[in-house]
């Protein structure tokens, strides 16, 4: 309407020689140009309601009580074997994704949990980290039930590398120090070497202080996963949980990552949750999650022995 109005009155003024043709063209172009600026304001006003609703949701999340609470009188955390005893959990209580699941992971052993998407593998990782509480059964480290210890103490001894672990905008050093703020350069380089990324970082002009992300150096997908692995290895945690750590990697990069995992995690307890094909030596035992329970695919300890140990522990 504005454009038609300028054109209508402009042509009339042009016919009466009150306005020159170049000026009329300039007015029309100025009118068109003003739409670009005004359209941003119009779109912003249209999005204001959605932004306000999103802000309300964020505020509700920020002020909501935590779903997992620390015990009123926490017990001291004592590292040890990882036990899951007759664990039951499901978003729909009538259809649990985990139903009577038991697992015994000795200290320093690497256990892989495999199975199709939706079988409950990530739920199992969340229970070990006490991001959720089981609806039945127990999760223990040593002889300590996880719901009796402070979450801060638990997460100091159990670390997670998930499938969506990010490389943050910043330097390589700042990305690593998230896991252990007091780590010195020797520890940072050791973690990078263990993750087979040390030589790559040494080749960069600024080394550990190389900027990552926007306006900084960009790592390949495989290198980014190795940086996340180095960050996890830098943690002092004795139990490492890997939830689909090779997600998004091509097959060759995936095999190389998994082949290095056993050497990099030597001496620590590892729970590796994956759907990938595992190279020989990656895990001491492989269990398949099926119908809410673990079925031995290749176990260093037979299922009957695990059940016997869990029964003895319960007694």
């Amino acid at each position: 309407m504005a454009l038609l109005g300028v054109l209508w009155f402009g042509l009339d003024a042009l016919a009466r020689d009150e306005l020159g043709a170049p000026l009329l063209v300039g007015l029309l172009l100025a009118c068109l140009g003003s739409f670009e600026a005004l359209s941003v304001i119009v779109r912003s006003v249209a999005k204001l309601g959605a932004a306000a609703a999103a802000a309300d949701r964020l505020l509700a999340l920020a002020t909501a009580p935590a779903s997992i609470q620390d015990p009123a009188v926490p017990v001291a955390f004592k590292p040890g074997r990882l036990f899951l005893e007759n664990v039951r959990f499901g978003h729909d209580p009538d259809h649990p994704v985990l139903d009577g699941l038991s697992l015994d992971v000795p200290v320093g052993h690497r256990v892989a949990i495999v199975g199709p998407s939706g079988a409950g593998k990530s739920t199992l990782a969340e229970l070990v980290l006490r991001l959720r509480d089981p609806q039945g059964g127990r999760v223990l480290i040593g002889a300590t039930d996880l719901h009796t210890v402070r979450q801060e103490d638990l997460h100091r001894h159990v670390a997670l590398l998930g499938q969506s672990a990010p490389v943050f905008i910043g330097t390589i050093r700042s990305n690593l120090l998230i896991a252990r703020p007091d780590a010195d350069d020797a520890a940072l380089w050791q973690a990078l070497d263990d993750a087979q990324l040390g030589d790559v970082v040494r080749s960069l002009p600024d080394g550990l202080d190389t900027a990552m992300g926007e306006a900084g150096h960009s790592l390949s997908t495989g290198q980014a996963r190795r940086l996340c692995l180095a960050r996890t290895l830098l943690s002092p945690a004795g139990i490492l949980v890997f939830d689909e750590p090779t997600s998004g990697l091509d097959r060759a990069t995936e095999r190389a990552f998994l082949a290095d995992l056993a050497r990099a995690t030597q001496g620590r307890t590892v729970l590796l949750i994956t759907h990938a094909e595992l190279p020989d030596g990656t895990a001491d035992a492989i269990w398949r999650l099926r119908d809410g329970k673990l079925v031995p695919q290749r176990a260093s300890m037979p299922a009957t022995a695990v059940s016997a140990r869990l029964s003895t522990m319960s007694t």
Side-chain angles (χ1 to χ4, degrees):
M1 290 179 65
L3 187 63
L4 289 174
V6 171
L7 188 60
W8 178 271
F9 291 105
L11 289 174
D12 181 64
L14 181 64
R16 297 197 310 266
D17 290 330
E18 295 177 358
L19 186 68
L23 181 57
L24 176 59
V25 172
L27 288 172
L28 292 171
L29 292 176
C31 186
L32 289 171
S34 68
F35 297 159
E36 296 296 325
L38 293 174
S39 64
V40 176
I41 299 173
V42 173
R43 287 197 298 269
S44 299
V45 171
K47 293 179 179 178
L48 180 61
D56 288 339
R57 290 195 296 271
L58 288 173
L59 181 61
L61 286 172
T63 56
S67 58
I68 302 296
Q69 298 285 346
D70 283 337
V73 183
V75 302
F77 185 92
K78 295 181 180 179
R81 304 169 73 100
L82 172 62
F83 294 100
L84 289 91
E85 181 185 21
N86 296 320
V87 168
R88 187 176 190 274
F89 183 88
H91 299 285
D92 180 355
D94 295 328
H95 299 88
V97 66
L98 303 178
D99 191 9
L101 181 146
S102 294
L103 179 65
D104 174 10
V105 185
V107 174
H109 279 230
R110 300 183 303 276
V111 171
I113 307 295
V114 299
S117 298
K121 303 189 301 297
S122 294
T123 299
L124 178 59
E126 292 171 355
L127 293 174
V128 173
L129 287 150
R130 208 188 166 221
L131 302 179
R132 302 180 186 274
D133 280 333
Q135 296 161 350
R138 300 187 297 169
V139 181
L140 306 97
I141 293 178
T144 306
D145 195 319
L146 295 193
H147 81 271
T148 66
V149 301
R150 292 192 309 164
Q151 296 174 74
E152 181 182 352
D153 294 336
L154 172 64
H155 295 157
R156 195 177 293 123
H157 292 84
V158 183
L160 169 70
L161 174 56
Q163 56 185 307
S164 58
V167 172
F168 296 98
I169 294 176
T171 64
I172 293 176
R173 183 192 303 276
S174 65
N175 268 273
L176 292 173
L177 290 177
I178 292 171
R180 205 171 103 202
D182 61 346
D184 57 17
D185 281 8
L188 299 182
W189 284 115
Q190 184 63 54
L192 290 169
D193 288 336
D194 288 343
Q196 297 291 296
L197 193 64
D199 291 342
V200 173
V201 177
R202 289 185 182 92
S203 69
L204 300 175
D206 296 320
L208 290 171
D209 294 314
T210 300
M212 293 286 100
E214 295 180 11
H217 185 83
S218 296
L219 299 175
S220 69
T221 304
Q223 291 169 343
R225 298 305 293 171
R226 289 184 180 275
L227 179 57
C228 294
L229 173 61
R231 185 168 62 207
T232 305
L233 296 175
L234 189 64
S235 164
I239 298 176
L240 304 179
V241 180
F242 296 94
D243 183 11
E244 301 287 5
T246 60
S247 176
L249 302 184
D250 60 71
R251 183 58 184 151
T253 306
E254 176 184 80
R255 288 188 65 84
F257 184 95
L258 292 172
D260 291 333
L261 194 62
R263 176 194 48 77
T265 58
Q266 193 69 35
R268 302 207 212 185
T269 302
V270 173
L271 185 65
L272 172 61
I273 294 169
T274 184
H275 67 273
E277 181 181 343
L278 298 175
D280 291 340
T282 303
D284 300 311
I286 302 176
W287 296 79
R288 179 167 293 278
L289 188 53
R290 182 185 301 160
D291 298 328
K293 295 180 174 61
L294 290 174
V295 179
Q297 180 166 306
R298 192 187 77 230
S300 57
M301 182 185 296
T304 52
V306 173
S307 299
R309 174 173 288 278
L310 289 169
S311 300
T312 302
M313 177 196 66
S314 300
T315 304

